[in-house]
Coordinates of all heavy atoms in Angstrom, one line a residue:
M399 N 0.8 -1.2 0.0 CA 0.0 0.0 0.0 C 0.9 1.2 0.0 O 1.9 1.3 0.7 CB -0.9 0.0 1.2 CG -1.8 1.1 1.3 SD -3.0 0.9 2.6 CE -2.9 2.5 3.4
A400 N 0.5 2.2 -0.8 CA 1.3 3.5 -0.9 C 0.5 4.6 -0.3 O -0.7 4.7 -0.5 CB 1.7 3.7 -2.3
M401 N 1.2 5.6 0.3 CA 0.6 6.8 0.7 C 0.9 7.8 -0.4 O 2.0 8.1 -0.7 CB 1.2 7.3 2.0 CG 0.9 6.5 3.2 SD 1.7 7.1 4.8 CE 2.5 8.6 4.4
N402 N -0.2 8.3 -1.0 CA 0.0 9.3 -2.1 C 0.1 10.7 -1.6 O -0.7 11.1 -0.8 CB -1.1 9.1 -3.2 CG -0.9 7.8 -3.9 OD1 0.2 7.4 -4.3 ND2 -2.0 7.1 -4.2
G403 N 1.0 11.5 -2.1 CA 1.1 12.9 -1.8 C 1.9 13.2 -0.5 O 2.0 14.3 -0.2
S404 N 2.4 12.1 0.1 CA 3.1 12.4 1.4 C 4.0 11.2 1.7 O 3.9 10.2 1.1 CB 2.1 12.7 2.5 OG 1.4 11.5 2.8
T405 N 4.8 11.4 2.8 CA 5.6 10.3 3.3 C 5.8 10.6 4.8 O 5.6 11.8 5.2 CB 7.0 10.3 2.6 OG1 7.7 9.1 3.2 CG2 7.8 11.5 2.8
W406 N 6.1 9.6 5.6 CA 6.2 9.8 7.0 C 7.5 10.5 7.4 O 7.6 11.1 8.5 CB 6.2 8.4 7.7 CG 7.4 7.5 7.4 CD1 7.5 6.7 6.3 CD2 8.6 7.5 8.1 NE1 8.7 6.1 6.4 CE2 9.4 6.5 7.4 CE3 9.1 8.1 9.2 CZ2 10.7 6.2 7.9 CZ3 10.4 7.8 9.6 CH2 11.2 6.9 9.0
R407 N 8.5 10.5 6.5 CA 9.8 11.1 6.9 C 9.8 12.6 6.7 O 9.2 13.1 5.7 CB 10.9 10.5 6.0 CG 11.2 9.1 6.3 CD 12.4 8.6 5.5 NE 13.6 8.9 6.2 CZ 14.8 8.4 5.9 NH1 14.9 7.5 4.9 NH2 15.9 8.7 6.5
D408 N 10.6 13.3 7.5 CA 10.8 14.7 7.3 C 11.8 14.8 6.1 O 12.7 14.0 6.0 CB 11.5 15.4 8.5 CG 10.5 15.5 9.6 OD1 9.3 15.7 9.3 OD2 10.9 15.5 10.8
H409 N 11.5 15.8 5.2 CA 12.4 16.0 4.1 C 12.3 17.5 3.7 O 11.4 18.2 4.0 CB 12.0 15.1 2.9 CG 10.6 15.3 2.5 ND1 10.2 16.3 1.6 CD2 9.4 14.7 2.9 CE1 8.9 16.3 1.5 NE2 8.4 15.3 2.2
P410 N 13.3 17.9 2.9 CA 13.3 19.4 2.5 C 12.6 19.7 1.2 O 12.5 20.8 0.7 CB 14.8 19.6 2.3 CG 15.3 18.4 1.8 CD 14.5 17.3 2.6
F411 N 11.9 18.7 0.6 CA 11.4 18.8 -0.8 C 10.0 19.4 -0.7 O 9.2 19.2 0.2 CB 11.3 17.5 -1.5 CG 12.6 16.8 -1.8 CD1 12.8 15.5 -1.4 CD2 13.6 17.5 -2.4 CE1 14.0 14.9 -1.7 CE2 14.8 17.0 -2.7 CZ 15.0 15.6 -2.3
E412 N 9.6 20.2 -1.8 CA 8.3 20.8 -2.0 C 7.9 20.5 -3.4 O 8.6 20.8 -4.4 CB 8.3 22.3 -1.7 CG 8.5 22.7 -0.3 CD 8.4 24.2 -0.1 OE1 7.5 24.8 -0.7 OE2 9.2 24.7 0.7
I413 N 6.7 20.0 -3.6 CA 6.1 19.8 -4.9 C 6.1 21.1 -5.7 O 5.7 22.1 -5.1 CB 4.7 19.1 -4.8 CG1 4.9 17.7 -4.2 CG2 4.0 19.1 -6.2 CD1 3.6 17.0 -4.0
G414 N 6.5 21.1 -6.9 CA 6.6 22.3 -7.8 C 7.9 23.0 -7.7 O 8.2 23.8 -8.6
E415 N 8.7 22.7 -6.8 CA 10.1 23.3 -6.7 C 11.0 22.6 -7.6 O 10.9 21.5 -8.0 CB 10.6 23.1 -5.2 CG 11.8 24.0 -4.9 CD 11.5 25.4 -4.8 OE1 10.7 25.8 -3.9 OE2 12.1 26.2 -5.5
V416 N 12.0 23.4 -8.1 CA 13.0 22.9 -9.0 C 14.3 22.6 -8.2 O 14.7 23.4 -7.4 CB 13.3 23.8 -10.2 CG1 14.4 23.4 -11.1 CG2 12.0 24.0 -11.0
Y417 N 14.9 21.5 -8.5 CA 16.1 21.0 -7.8 C 17.2 20.7 -8.9 O 16.9 20.3 -10.0 CB 15.9 19.8 -7.0 CG 14.9 20.1 -5.9 CD1 13.5 19.9 -6.1 CD2 15.3 20.5 -4.7 CE1 12.6 20.2 -5.2 CE2 14.3 20.9 -3.7 CZ 13.0 20.7 -3.9 OH 12.1 21.0 -3.0
I418 N 18.5 20.8 -8.5 CA 19.6 20.4 -9.3 C 20.1 19.1 -8.7 O 20.3 19.0 -7.5 CB 20.7 21.4 -9.3 CG1 20.2 22.7 -10.0 CG2 22.0 20.9 -10.0 CD1 21.2 23.8 -10.0
A419 N 20.3 18.1 -9.5 CA 20.8 16.8 -9.1 C 22.3 17.0 -8.8 O 23.1 17.5 -9.6 CB 20.6 15.7 -10.1
L420 N 22.7 16.6 -7.6 CA 24.2 16.7 -7.3 C 24.9 15.4 -7.5 O 26.1 15.3 -7.5 CB 24.3 17.1 -5.8 CG 23.6 18.4 -5.4 CD1 23.7 18.6 -3.9 CD2 24.2 19.6 -6.1
T421 N 24.1 14.3 -7.7 CA 24.7 13.0 -7.9 C 24.1 12.3 -9.1 O 22.9 12.4 -9.3 CB 24.4 12.1 -6.7 OG1 24.8 12.8 -5.5 CG2 25.1 10.7 -6.7
A422 N 24.9 11.7 -9.9 CA 24.3 10.9 -11.1 C 23.7 9.6 -10.6 O 24.3 8.9 -9.9 CB 25.4 10.6 -12.1
S423 N 22.4 9.5 -11.0 CA 21.6 8.3 -10.6 C 21.9 7.8 -9.1 O 22.4 6.8 -8.9 CB 21.9 7.2 -11.6 OG 21.3 7.5 -12.8
P424 N 21.5 8.7 -8.2 CA 21.6 8.3 -6.8 C 20.9 7.0 -6.5 O 19.9 6.7 -7.2 CB 21.0 9.5 -6.0 CG 20.2 10.2 -7.0 CD 20.7 9.9 -8.3
E425 N 21.4 6.2 -5.6 CA 20.8 4.9 -5.3 C 19.4 5.2 -4.7 O 19.3 6.0 -3.8 CB 21.7 4.2 -4.3 CG 21.3 2.8 -4.0 CD 22.3 2.2 -3.1 OE1 23.5 2.4 -3.2 OE2 21.8 1.5 -2.2
F426 N 18.4 4.6 -5.0 CA 17.9 3.8 -6.0 C 17.0 4.7 -6.9 O 16.2 5.5 -6.4 CB 17.1 2.7 -5.4 CG 16.3 1.8 -6.4 CD1 16.9 0.8 -7.1 CD2 15.0 2.1 -6.7 CE1 16.2 0.0 -8.0 CE2 14.3 1.4 -7.6 CZ 14.8 0.3 -8.2
T427 N 17.1 4.6 -8.2 CA 16.3 5.5 -9.1 C 15.5 4.6 -10.1 O 15.9 3.5 -10.4 CB 17.1 6.5 -9.9 OG1 18.0 5.8 -10.7 CG2 17.8 7.4 -8.9
D428 N 14.4 5.1 -10.5 CA 13.6 4.5 -11.6 C 13.7 5.6 -12.7 O 13.0 6.6 -12.7 CB 12.2 4.3 -11.2 CG 11.3 3.7 -12.3 OD1 11.9 3.2 -13.3 OD2 10.1 3.7 -12.1
G429 N 14.6 5.3 -13.7 CA 14.9 6.3 -14.7 C 16.3 6.8 -14.4 O 17.0 6.4 -13.5
C430 N 16.8 7.7 -15.3 CA 18.1 8.2 -15.2 C 18.2 9.6 -14.6 O 17.5 10.5 -15.2 CB 18.8 8.1 -16.6 SG 20.5 8.6 -16.5
I431 N 18.9 9.8 -13.6 CA 19.1 11.2 -13.0 C 20.5 11.6 -13.3 O 21.4 10.8 -13.1 CB 18.8 11.2 -11.5 CG1 17.3 10.9 -11.2 CG2 19.2 12.5 -10.9 CD1 16.9 10.9 -9.8
I432 N 20.6 12.8 -13.9 CA 21.9 13.2 -14.4 C 22.4 14.4 -13.6 O 21.7 15.4 -13.4 CB 21.8 13.7 -15.9 CG1 21.3 12.5 -16.8 CG2 23.1 14.2 -16.4 CD1 20.8 12.9 -18.1
S433 N 23.6 14.2 -13.0 CA 24.2 15.3 -12.2 C 24.3 16.6 -12.9 O 24.6 16.7 -14.1 CB 25.6 14.8 -11.8 OG 26.2 15.8 -11.0
G434 N 23.9 17.7 -12.3 CA 23.9 19.0 -12.9 C 22.6 19.4 -13.6 O 22.4 20.6 -13.9
H435 N 21.7 18.4 -13.8 CA 20.5 18.7 -14.5 C 19.4 19.2 -13.5 O 19.5 18.9 -12.4 CB 20.0 17.5 -15.3 CG 20.7 17.3 -16.6 ND1 20.0 17.0 -17.8 CD2 22.0 17.3 -16.9 CE1 20.9 16.9 -18.7 NE2 22.1 17.1 -18.2
K436 N 18.4 20.0 -14.1 CA 17.4 20.5 -13.2 C 16.1 19.6 -13.3 O 15.8 19.1 -14.4 CB 17.0 21.9 -13.7 CG 18.1 22.9 -13.5 CD 17.6 24.2 -14.1 CE 18.8 25.1 -14.3 NZ 18.8 25.7 -15.6
Y437 N 15.5 19.4 -12.1 CA 14.4 18.5 -12.0 C 13.3 19.2 -11.2 O 13.6 19.7 -10.1 CB 14.8 17.2 -11.3 CG 15.7 16.4 -12.1 CD1 17.1 16.6 -12.1 CD2 15.3 15.4 -13.0 CE1 18.0 15.9 -12.8 CE2 16.1 14.7 -13.8 CZ 17.5 14.9 -13.7 OH 18.4 14.2 -14.5
E438 N 12.1 19.1 -11.7 CA 10.9 19.7 -10.9 C 10.2 18.6 -10.2 O 9.9 17.5 -10.8 CB 9.9 20.3 -11.9 CG 8.7 20.9 -11.2 CD 7.7 21.5 -12.2 OE1 7.7 21.1 -13.3 OE2 7.0 22.4 -11.7
L439 N 10.0 18.7 -8.9 CA 9.3 17.7 -8.1 C 7.8 17.7 -8.4 O 7.2 18.7 -8.3 CB 9.6 17.9 -6.6 CG 9.0 16.9 -5.7 CD1 9.6 15.5 -5.9 CD2 9.2 17.3 -4.2
N440 N 7.3 16.5 -8.8 CA 5.9 16.4 -9.2 C 5.1 15.7 -8.2 O 3.9 15.9 -8.1 CB 5.8 15.7 -10.6 CG 6.2 16.6 -11.7 OD1 6.4 17.8 -11.6 ND2 6.3 16.0 -12.9
H441 N 5.7 14.7 -7.5 CA 4.9 13.9 -6.6 C 5.7 13.3 -5.5 O 6.9 13.0 -5.7 CB 4.3 12.7 -7.5 CG 3.3 11.9 -6.7 ND1 2.0 12.3 -6.4 CD2 3.4 10.7 -6.2 CE1 1.4 11.4 -5.8 NE2 2.2 10.3 -5.7
I442 N 5.1 13.1 -4.3 CA 5.7 12.4 -3.2 C 4.8 11.3 -2.7 O 3.6 11.5 -2.6 CB 6.0 13.4 -2.0 CG1 6.9 14.6 -2.5 CG2 6.5 12.7 -0.8 CD1 6.9 15.7 -1.5
S443 N 5.4 10.1 -2.5 CA 4.6 9.1 -1.9 C 5.5 8.2 -1.1 O 6.7 8.4 -1.0 CB 3.9 8.2 -3.1 OG 4.9 7.6 -3.9
H444 N 4.8 7.2 -0.4 CA 5.6 6.3 0.4 C 5.0 4.9 0.1 O 3.8 4.7 0.1 CB 5.5 6.6 1.9 CG 6.3 5.6 2.7 ND1 5.8 4.5 3.2 CD2 7.6 5.7 3.1 CE1 6.8 3.9 3.9 NE2 7.9 4.6 3.8
S445 N 5.9 3.9 -0.1 CA 5.5 2.5 -0.3 C 5.8 1.8 1.0 O 7.0 1.6 1.3 CB 6.3 1.9 -1.5 OG 6.0 0.5 -1.5
H446 N 4.8 1.4 1.7 CA 5.0 0.5 2.9 C 5.6 -0.8 2.5 O 6.4 -1.4 3.2 CB 3.7 0.3 3.6 CG 3.2 1.6 4.2 ND1 3.7 2.2 5.3 CD2 2.1 2.4 3.8 CE1 3.0 3.3 5.6 NE2 2.1 3.5 4.6
Y447 N 5.2 -1.4 1.4 CA 5.6 -2.7 0.9 C 7.1 -2.6 0.7 O 7.8 -3.6 1.0 CB 4.9 -3.0 -0.4 CG 5.3 -4.3 -1.0 CD1 4.9 -5.6 -0.4 CD2 6.2 -4.4 -2.1 CE1 5.4 -6.8 -1.0 CE2 6.6 -5.5 -2.6 CZ 6.2 -6.7 -2.1 OH 6.6 -7.9 -2.6
D448 N 7.6 -1.6 0.0 CA 9.1 -1.5 -0.3 C 9.9 -0.8 0.8 O 11.1 -0.8 0.8 CB 9.3 -0.7 -1.6 CG 8.6 -1.4 -2.8 OD1 9.0 -2.6 -3.0 OD2 7.8 -0.9 -3.5
G449 N 9.2 -0.1 1.7 CA 9.9 0.6 2.8 C 10.7 1.8 2.2 O 11.8 1.9 2.5
A450 N 10.0 2.6 1.4 CA 10.7 3.7 0.8 C 9.8 4.9 0.5 O 8.6 4.7 0.2 CB 11.3 3.3 -0.5
S451 N 10.3 6.1 0.7 CA 9.7 7.3 0.3 C 10.1 7.5 -1.2 O 11.2 7.2 -1.6 CB 10.2 8.5 1.1 OG 9.8 8.3 2.4
I452 N 9.1 7.9 -2.0 CA 9.3 7.9 -3.5 C 9.1 9.4 -3.9 O 8.0 9.9 -3.7 CB 8.4 7.0 -4.2 CG1 8.7 5.5 -3.7 CG2 8.7 7.0 -5.7 CD1 7.6 4.6 -4.1
F453 N 10.1 10.0 -4.5 CA 10.0 11.3 -5.0 C 10.1 11.3 -6.6 O 11.0 10.8 -7.1 CB 11.1 12.2 -4.5 CG 11.1 12.3 -3.0 CD1 11.8 11.3 -2.2 CD2 10.3 13.2 -2.3 CE1 11.8 11.4 -0.8 CE2 10.3 13.3 -0.9 CZ 11.1 12.3 -0.2
T454 N 9.0 11.8 -7.2 CA 8.9 11.7 -8.7 C 9.2 13.1 -9.2 O 8.5 14.1 -8.8 CB 7.6 11.2 -9.2 OG1 7.4 9.9 -8.6 CG2 7.5 11.1 -10.7
F455 N 10.2 13.2 -10.1 CA 10.7 14.5 -10.7 C 10.4 14.4 -12.2 O 10.5 13.4 -12.8 CB 12.2 14.7 -10.4 CG 12.6 14.8 -9.0 CD1 12.9 13.7 -8.3 CD2 12.7 16.0 -8.4 CE1 13.3 13.8 -6.9 CE2 13.1 16.2 -7.1 CZ 13.4 15.0 -6.4
K456 N 10.3 15.6 -12.8 CA 10.3 15.8 -14.2 C 11.6 16.5 -14.6 O 11.9 17.5 -14.1 CB 9.1 16.6 -14.7 CG 9.2 16.8 -16.2 CD 7.9 17.6 -16.7 CE 8.1 19.0 -16.4 NZ 7.0 19.9 -17.0
C457 N 12.4 15.8 -15.5 CA 13.7 16.4 -15.9 C 13.3 17.6 -16.8 O 12.6 17.4 -17.8 CB 14.5 15.4 -16.7 SG 16.1 16.1 -17.3
L458 N 13.8 18.8 -16.6 CA 13.4 20.0 -17.3 C 14.1 20.0 -18.7 O 13.6 20.7 -19.6 CB 13.7 21.2 -16.6 CG 12.9 21.4 -15.3 CD1 13.2 22.7 -14.6 CD2 11.4 21.2 -15.5
S459 N 15.2 19.2 -18.9 CA 15.8 19.2 -20.2 C 15.2 18.3 -21.2 O 15.3 18.5 -22.4 CB 17.3 18.9 -20.1 OG 17.5 17.6 -19.6
N460 N 14.5 17.2 -20.8 CA 13.9 16.3 -21.7 C 12.4 15.9 -21.3 O 11.8 15.1 -22.0 CB 14.7 15.1 -21.9 CG 14.9 14.3 -20.6 OD1 14.1 14.5 -19.6 ND2 15.9 13.4 -20.5
N461 N 11.9 16.5 -20.3 CA 10.5 16.2 -19.8 C 10.2 14.8 -19.4 O 9.1 14.4 -19.2 CB 9.5 16.6 -20.8 CG 9.4 18.1 -21.0 OD1 9.6 18.9 -20.0 ND2 9.2 18.6 -22.2
E462 N 11.3 14.0 -19.2 CA 11.1 12.6 -18.7 C 10.8 12.6 -17.2 O 11.4 13.4 -16.5 CB 12.3 11.7 -19.0 CG 12.5 11.4 -20.5 CD 13.6 10.5 -20.8 OE1 14.0 9.7 -19.9 OE2 14.1 10.5 -21.9
L463 N 10.0 11.7 -16.8 CA 9.7 11.5 -15.3 C 10.7 10.4 -14.8 O 10.9 9.4 -15.4 CB 8.3 11.0 -15.1 CG 7.2 12.0 -15.4 CD1 5.8 11.4 -15.1 CD2 7.4 13.3 -14.6
V464 N 11.3 10.8 -13.7 CA 12.2 9.8 -13.0 C 11.8 9.9 -11.5 O 11.3 10.8 -11.0 CB 13.7 10.2 -13.1 CG1 14.1 10.2 -14.6 CG2 13.9 11.6 -12.6
S465 N 12.1 8.8 -10.8 CA 11.8 8.7 -9.4 C 13.0 8.3 -8.6 O 13.8 7.5 -9.0 CB 10.7 7.6 -9.1 OG 9.5 7.9 -9.7
W466 N 13.2 8.9 -7.5 CA 14.2 8.6 -6.5 C 13.6 8.0 -5.3 O 12.6 8.5 -4.7 CB 15.0 9.9 -6.1 CG 16.0 9.6 -5.1 CD1 17.1 8.7 -5.1 CD2 16.1 10.2 -3.8 NE1 17.8 8.7 -4.0 CE2 17.2 9.6 -3.1 CE3 15.4 11.1 -3.1 CZ2 17.6 9.9 -1.8 CZ3 15.8 11.5 -1.8 CH2 16.8 10.9 -1.2
W467 N 14.1 6.8 -5.0 CA 13.5 6.0 -3.8 C 14.4 6.2 -2.6 O 15.6 5.8 -2.7 CB 13.4 4.6 -4.2 CG 12.4 4.3 -5.2 CD1 12.2 4.9 -6.4 CD2 11.4 3.3 -5.2 NE1 11.1 4.4 -7.1 CE2 10.6 3.3 -6.4 CE3 11.0 2.3 -4.2 CZ2 9.6 2.5 -6.6 CZ3 10.0 1.5 -4.5 CH2 9.3 1.6 -5.7
W468 N 13.9 6.7 -1.5 CA 14.7 7.0 -0.3 C 14.2 5.9 0.7 O 13.2 6.1 1.3 CB 14.5 8.4 0.2 CG 15.2 8.8 1.3 CD1 16.4 8.4 1.8 CD2 14.8 9.9 2.2 NE1 16.8 9.1 2.9 CE2 15.9 10.0 3.2 CE3 13.7 10.7 2.3 CZ2 15.8 10.9 4.2 CZ3 13.7 11.7 3.3 CH2 14.7 11.8 4.3
F469 N 15.0 4.9 0.8 CA 14.6 3.8 1.7 C 14.5 4.2 3.2 O 15.3 5.0 3.6 CB 15.5 2.6 1.5 CG 15.2 1.9 0.1 CD1 16.0 2.2 -1.0 CD2 14.1 1.1 -0.1 CE1 15.8 1.7 -2.2 CE2 13.9 0.5 -1.3 CZ 14.7 0.8 -2.4
D470 N 13.6 3.6 3.9 CA 13.4 3.9 5.3 C 14.6 3.8 6.2 O 14.7 4.5 7.1 CB 12.2 3.1 5.9 CG 10.9 3.4 5.2 OD1 10.8 4.4 4.5 OD2 9.9 2.7 5.4
N471 N 15.5 2.9 5.8 CA 16.7 2.6 6.7 C 17.9 3.4 6.2 O 19.0 3.3 6.7 CB 17.0 1.1 6.7 CG 17.3 0.5 5.4 OD1 17.1 1.2 4.3 ND2 17.7 -0.7 5.4
A472 N 17.7 4.3 5.1 CA 18.8 5.1 4.6 C 19.0 6.3 5.4 O 18.1 6.8 6.1 CB 18.5 5.5 3.1
P473 N 20.3 6.8 5.4 CA 20.6 8.0 6.2 C 19.7 9.2 5.9 O 19.2 9.4 4.8 CB 22.0 8.3 5.8 CG 22.6 7.1 5.3 CD 21.4 6.4 4.6
D474 N 19.5 10.1 6.9 CA 18.6 11.2 6.8 C 19.2 12.3 5.9 O 18.4 13.1 5.3 CB 18.4 11.9 8.2 CG 17.4 11.0 9.0 OD1 16.7 10.2 8.5 OD2 17.5 11.2 10.3
N475 N 20.5 12.3 5.7 CA 21.1 13.4 4.9 C 21.1 13.2 3.4 O 21.6 14.0 2.6 CB 22.5 13.6 5.4 CG 23.5 12.5 5.0 OD1 23.0 11.4 4.7 ND2 24.8 12.8 5.0
L476 N 20.5 12.1 2.9 CA 20.6 11.8 1.5 C 19.9 12.8 0.6 O 20.3 13.0 -0.5 CB 20.0 10.4 1.2 CG 21.0 9.2 1.6 CD1 20.4 7.9 1.1 CD2 22.4 9.4 1.0
C477 N 18.8 13.4 1.1 CA 18.1 14.4 0.3 C 19.0 15.5 -0.1 O 19.1 15.9 -1.3 CB 16.9 15.0 1.0 SG 15.5 13.8 1.2
V478 N 19.7 16.1 0.9 CA 20.6 17.2 0.6 C 21.9 16.8 0.0 O 22.6 17.6 -0.6 CB 20.8 18.1 1.9 CG1 19.5 18.7 2.3 CG2 21.5 17.3 3.0
K479 N 22.2 15.5 0.1 CA 23.4 15.0 -0.5 C 23.2 14.8 -2.1 O 24.1 15.0 -2.8 CB 23.8 13.7 0.1 CG 25.1 13.1 -0.5 CD 25.4 11.8 0.2 CE 26.6 11.1 -0.4 NZ 26.9 9.8 0.1
N480 N 22.0 14.5 -2.4 CA 21.6 14.2 -3.8 C 21.0 15.4 -4.6 O 21.1 15.4 -5.8 CB 20.8 13.0 -3.9 CG 21.5 11.8 -3.4 OD1 22.6 11.5 -3.8 ND2 20.8 10.9 -2.7
F481 N 20.3 16.3 -3.9 CA 19.6 17.4 -4.6 C 19.7 18.7 -3.8 O 19.8 18.7 -2.6 CB 18.1 17.0 -4.6 CG 17.8 15.8 -5.4 CD1 17.7 14.5 -4.7 CD2 17.6 15.8 -6.8 CE1 17.4 13.4 -5.5 CE2 17.4 14.7 -7.5 CZ 17.2 13.4 -6.8
Q482 N 19.8 19.8 -4.6 CA 19.9 21.1 -4.1 C 18.8 22.0 -4.8 O 18.6 21.9 -6.0 CB 21.3 21.7 -4.4 CG 21.5 23.1 -4.0 CD 22.9 23.5 -4.4 OE1 23.9 22.8 -4.2 NE2 23.0 24.7 -5.0
V483 N 18.2 22.9 -4.0 CA 17.2 23.8 -4.6 C 17.8 24.7 -5.6 O 18.9 25.2 -5.4 CB 16.5 24.6 -3.5 CG1 15.6 25.7 -4.1 CG2 15.8 23.8 -2.5
Y484 N 17.2 24.8 -6.8 CA 17.7 25.7 -7.8 C 17.2 27.1 -7.6 O 16.0 27.3 -7.4 CB 17.2 25.2 -9.2 CG 17.6 26.1 -10.3 CD1 18.9 26.2 -10.8 CD2 16.6 26.9 -10.9 CE1 19.2 27.1 -11.8 CE2 17.0 27.8 -12.0 CZ 18.3 27.9 -12.4 OH 18.6 28.7 -13.4
T485 N 18.2 28.0 -7.5 CA 17.8 29.4 -7.2 C 18.2 30.3 -8.3 O 19.0 30.1 -9.1 CB 18.5 29.9 -5.9 OG1 19.9 29.7 -6.0 CG2 17.9 29.2 -4.7

């Protein structure tokens, strides 16, 4: 079962905000995330079955949707290690 639009973990992400990927294909992704590219956050969910928060982004250079899975047992700092707000 997945929680749509939210996750139980605290995180710095906001839907509609644009982020720059700091890491190429951070562990674990569905699709290809390219370091230095801009991504708009479109959706946040949590999969209880997989034990992961799922952040779905749209790559602004090619409009492809990609997801980054932040597993429940992964370190808290992975969000800021992998993505930075584009200003």
Side-chain angles (χ1 to χ4, degrees):
M399 183 171 131
M401 290 177 9
N402 289 319
S404 65
T405 184
W406 67 270
R407 290 185 85 165
D408 288 332
H409 59 83
F411 296 130
E412 290 185 40
I413 292 175
E415 191 73 57
V416 175
Y417 299 88
I418 295 177
L420 302 176
T421 308
S423 290
E425 191 178 315
F426 171 86
T427 59
D428 181 12
C430 185
I431 294 178
I432 302 166
S433 181
H435 281 226
K436 295 179 200 133
Y437 295 85
E438 178 182 27
L439 182 62
N440 287 349
H441 188 74
I442 299 169
S443 62
H444 184 268
S445 171
H446 295 285
Y447 177 78
D448 296 303
S451 298
I452 304 164
F453 301 91
T454 303
F455 297 89
K456 179 176 76 172
C457 180
L458 296 184
S459 62
N460 61 17
N461 289 325
E462 289 185 21
L463 293 179
V464 297
S465 296
W466 174 59
W467 292 49
W468 184 25
F469 289 97
D470 293 349
N471 61 354
D474 288 338
N475 70 341
L476 286 185
C477 290
V478 295
K479 182 178 176 188
N480 294 319
F481 299 94
Q482 174 183 315
V483 174
Y484 175 71
T485 54

